[in-house]
Amino acid sequence: MIEAAFPRQLHPYWPQLQEKTRAWLLEKRLMPADKVEEYADGLCYTDLMAGYYIGAPDEVLQAIADYSAWFFVWDDRHDRDIVHQRPAAWRRLRGLLHVALDSPEDHLHHADPLVAGFADSVTRLYSFLPGSWNIRFARHFHAVIEAYDQEFHNRIEGIIPTVEEYLELRRLTFAHAIWTDLLEPSAGMELPDSVRQHPAFRRAALLSQEFAAWYNDLCSFPKEIAGDEVHNLGISLITHKGLTLEETVAEVRRRVEDCVSDFLVAEREALQFADLLADGTLWGTQLAAAVRACVGNMRNWFSSVYWFHHESGRYRVDSWDDRSTPPYVNNEAAGEK
C-alpha cells in the first residue's frame, strides 16, 4: 500500500548528512564511540529525516537530523532510567531540558552530554526563522517533555493508559507538533496562524503524524512487549478492550491503513487550499509554494517512516542477545548519573 502510493525519495544531501550526524554524535559524546561505529549507520536515523524534509536547505536538514538523532538518544536514556529505576536522574534531566529549551546558548557546555547536545541542536534550529517560530517550537517541546514525564510515571507504576488516554499522550510523546513545525524552516518560511490552523492543512498534518506514531507502535510491538512496556496502542487495546493479540495487530493495522487512505483525501484538499492562496501577489505566490512544500513533505513522511521501520536496527528485536535490551544503548545500571 505504501510502496505503491508513496514513492520513496531521499534528499541529495543524505550521504553527507549521515557522515556529519555520525561525527556529531561522537563530538557531543551522545553515544560511545564503539556503538557509533557499530550501530549508527544501521539505525538509519539520518535516512528518516532525509526522506522527510525534501527540499530543505542542507544546513536546515543537518540541524534537524542532529536534533532527531538526539531525540532517539534521549528516548533511550528515558527508557534506561525507567528500567534501572532512576527517578532522581530523570527528574534532574527533565528540569534541565526545560531550562535549556528556553536558553540553549547557556547550556552548550553542560556536563551532561544529553543537555549540551540538546542545547546545540536547538540553538541551530532557532537560527532559521523569526523568534515567534522559536517560541512556538519551545512551547510544543515543553509539552513533549511533560508527556515523557507522564510516561515515566506510568511505566514505573505499571499504569496502562486507556486507548483514549494513550492516543492523546502519544501525540505528545511522538512530538506530532514538533515534526510539523520543522516543515516550515525546511520550506524557508514561517506560516501564518491562518494557514497552520486551516482545517485542510491541519488534517493533512495530523494524519501524516498519526500514521507514523501508529505504524511505529505496530513495528515496535515485539520490542515493547519484551521490555514490559505499558505505552503502545496495542497494549492499551489488549488491556482495556479485551482484544486478543491477533485482533490487536489487525486493529492497529486497520488504523494505519485508514490514515493512508484518509491522507490521500486530505492531501488533495490541502493542495486546493494552497491554490487559493496563490492570489497573484508575490506574497500569495510565496505562501502557496511554502504550503505545497509542506504538504509534499507530509506525503514523504509516509514512505520515510515505512522504510525506516523496515531497515533500522532499532526494531530488529529477534537479532538482539536480550530482547529487552537494545544493543545500541548504554545500559549502565549503577548510580543516579
Side-chain angles (χ1 to χ4, degrees), residues 18 21-22 25 31 34-47 328:
Q18 185 181 54
T21 294
R22 191 191 315 121
L25 287 168
M31 290 176 68
D34 60 333
K35 294 192 183 295
V36 171
E37 177 67 27
E38 186 171 358
Y39 298 109
D41 290 352
L43 289 169
C44 300
Y45 296 160
T46 55
D47 305 48
Y328 48 83

Side-chain angles (χ1 to χ4, degrees), residues 142-158:
H142 280 304
V144 171
I145 296 168
E146 287 307 291
Y148 263 70
D149 185 58
Q150 182 62 56
E151 180 177 340
F152 185 96
H153 291 292
N154 284 350
R155 287 181 61 189
I156 288 287
E157 297 165 21

Side-chain angles (χ1 to χ4, degrees), residues 13 16-17 20-21 58-66 124:
Y13 181 67
Q16 299 100 302
L17 187 73
K20 290 185 178 180
T21 294
D58 293 353
E59 65 272 23
V60 172
L61 184 60
Q62 187 66 64
I64 292 174
D66 291 349
R124 289 152 63 202

Side-chain angles (χ1 to χ4, degrees), residues 257-278:
E257 290 175 347
D258 285 350
C259 278
V260 176
S261 54
D262 290 349
F263 175 80
L264 293 173
V265 175
E267 178 187 37
R268 287 196 296 273
E269 294 173 351
L271 291 173
Q272 289 168 358
F273 170 54
D275 290 342
L276 294 175
L277 294 170

Side-chain angles (χ1 to χ4, degrees), residues 15-328:
Q16 299 100 302
L17 187 73
Q18 185 181 54
E19 179 182 343
K20 290 185 178 180
T21 294
R22 191 191 315 121
W24 186 78
L25 287 168
L26 280 171
E27 176 194 345
K28 299 302 177 184
R29 298 178 294 119
L30 288 166
M31 290 176 68
D34 60 333
K35 294 192 183 295
V36 171
E37 177 67 27
E38 186 171 358
Y39 298 109
D41 290 352
L43 289 169
C44 300
Y45 296 160
T46 55
D47 305 48
L48 180 63
M49 295 298 110
Y52 186 17
Y53 297 101
I54 305 295
D58 293 353
E59 65 272 23
V60 172
L61 184 60
Q62 187 66 64
I64 292 174
D66 291 349
Y67 167 75
S68 172
W70 173 87
F71 203 119
F72 281 111
V73 175
W74 176 49
D75 187 74
D76 292 335
R77 170 84 74 86
H78 176 260
D79 177 70
R80 293 297 97 183
D81 279 350
I82 293 166
V83 168
H84 296 308
Q85 300 280 311
R86 300 190 294 233
W90 165 248
R91 278 196 305 273
R92 183 162 55 249
L93 178 60
R94 169 194 171 203
L96 285 166
L97 292 179
H98 275 306
V99 175
L101 184 57
D102 290 329
S103 56
E105 292 180 352
D106 296 336
H107 294 77
L108 293 171
H109 305 290
H110 195 277
D112 186 333
L114 204 64
V115 177
F118 177 65
D120 178 83
S121 61
V122 170
T123 297
R124 289 152 63 202
L125 291 174
Y126 282 177
S127 71
F128 299 122
L129 291 178
S132 50
W133 184 91
N134 299 346
I135 291 169
R136 171 164 36 104
F137 179 93
R139 183 175 73 250
H140 287 158
F141 201 75
H142 280 304
V144 171
I145 296 168
E146 287 307 291
Y148 263 70
D149 185 58
Q150 182 62 56
E151 180 177 340
F152 185 96
H153 291 292
N154 284 350
R155 287 181 61 189
I156 288 287
E157 297 165 21
I159 298 170
I160 299 175
T162 65
V163 173
E164 294 72 22
E165 289 169 342
Y166 175 76
L167 293 177
E168 182 178 350
L169 190 61
R170 185 63 165 140
R171 292 184 180 115
L172 292 168
T173 58
F174 194 81
H176 282 25
I178 292 295
W179 306 118
T180 302
D181 286 340
L182 290 168
L183 292 168
E184 294 169 69
S186 299
M189 177 185 291
E190 181 183 19
L191 299 178
D193 289 349
S194 59
V195 170
R196 290 186 302 100
Q197 295 172 7
H198 190 279
F201 187 89
R202 284 173 61 91
R203 179 157 175 75
L206 177 62
L207 285 166
S208 75
Q209 294 297 317
E210 298 278 56
F211 163 79
W214 297 346
Y215 198 68
N216 176 268
D217 278 8
L218 189 64
C219 294
S220 63
F221 201 20
K223 168 177 175 277
E224 293 179 347
I225 288 176
D228 291 326
E229 273 272 18
V230 299
H231 270 241
N232 184 289
L233 178 55
I235 294 169
S236 287
L237 285 166
I238 288 172
T239 303
H240 296 288
K241 300 296 184 181
L243 273 59
T244 66
L245 182 61
E246 293 76 13
E247 289 169 340
T248 296
V249 171
E251 172 61 15
V252 178
R253 185 183 178 93
R254 181 193 66 77
R255 289 173 183 248
V256 167
E257 290 175 347
D258 285 350
C259 278
V260 176
S261 54
D262 290 349
F263 175 80
L264 293 173
V265 175
E267 178 187 37
R268 287 196 296 273
E269 294 173 351
L271 291 173
Q272 289 168 358
F273 170 54
D275 290 342
L276 294 175
L277 294 170
D279 58 4
T281 65
L282 177 60
W283 167 247
T285 300
Q286 292 173 337
L287 186 58
V291 170
R292 289 190 192 103
C294 290
V295 175
N297 280 334
M298 292 173 197
R299 158 175 276 274
N300 288 332
W301 197 220
F302 285 83
S303 61
S304 193
V305 164
Y306 172 84
W307 287 109
F308 171 69
H309 283 88
H310 289 283
E311 295 176 348
S312 173
R314 196 171 177 87
Y315 305 101
R316 293 180 186 160
V317 179
D318 291 337
S319 68
W320 300 353
D321 293 335
D322 176 354
R323 288 171 63 89
S324 66
T325 305
Y328 48 83

